[in-house]
Amino acid sequence: MVMPIQTSVNTRLKGYTQSPFIASFVSFSVGSIVLVIISLLTFHDYSSIGHAILTSPWWIWFGGGILGTIFLTNNILLLPKLGAALTVMVTVCGQMVMAILIDQFGWFSLPVHELNPERLIGVLLMFFGVYLMQRF
């Protein structure tokens, strides 16, 4: 329920700032401040962060933020053209296609969940839903 509200609010912010990038920046900045406060208020073992930085792949520290920026900004740009419902549907369909690929090949060291006819039918029905939403 949060995604269409967030995208609508950020699209409205884009109208005031005249930039989808500034709207995304504001959204991520506020979110980062909230996460800093939550992190400080909850117990965490911060001493392990240095070790984690040195021993983990570089891309895990940047990938989520970069992809999140692309996701959020694209939603801000799509919503006025497609409407809230179709923007959510297209986004979820894209997420499902990538999720199926990740499951099928076990990318990112995740367990493999092979594509079967039932999963394929589920994805095809989602795309049929996009067609119906766009047509009517």
Side-chain angles (χ1 to χ4, degrees), residues 65-87:
I66 292 168
L67 294 171
T69 300
I70 292 167
F71 173 79
L72 179 64
T73 306
N74 280 327
N75 277 348
I76 290 170
L77 294 170
L78 283 175
L79 188 125
K81 293 174 177 35
L82 301 180
L86 193 53
T87 297

Side-chain angles (χ1 to χ4, degrees), residues 30-94:
V30 171
S32 294
I33 290 167
V34 169
L35 286 172
V36 165
I37 292 168
I38 292 170
S39 294
L40 292 173
L41 292 176
T42 60
F43 176 78
H44 293 283
D45 181 12
Y46 298 106
S47 64
S48 64
I49 293 176
H51 177 70
I53 291 171
L54 295 174
T55 59
S56 59
W58 66 269
W59 52 266
I60 67 168
W61 297 97
F62 299 98
I66 292 168
L67 294 171
T69 300
I70 292 167
F71 173 79
L72 179 64
T73 306
N74 280 327
N75 277 348
I76 290 170
L77 294 170
L78 283 175
L79 188 125
K81 293 174 177 35
L82 301 180
L86 193 53
T87 297
V88 169
M89 286 290 293
V90 168
T91 301
V92 170
C93 282

Side-chain angles (χ1 to χ4, degrees), residues 68-127:
T69 300
I70 292 167
F71 173 79
L72 179 64
T73 306
N74 280 327
N75 277 348
I76 290 170
L77 294 170
L78 283 175
L79 188 125
K81 293 174 177 35
L82 301 180
L86 193 53
T87 297
V88 169
M89 286 290 293
V90 168
T91 301
V92 170
C93 282
Q95 290 173 341
M96 285 305 301
V97 168
M98 185 52 66
I100 292 288
L101 290 170
I102 291 169
D103 278 352
Q104 177 69 26
F105 299 107
W107 292 343
F108 310 105
S109 301
L110 294 172
V112 172
H113 298 275
E114 292 183 5
L115 181 62
N116 58 35
E118 295 82 9
R119 294 178 108 202
L120 182 59
I121 290 169
V123 171
L124 292 174
L125 286 172
M126 288 179 61
F127 278 98

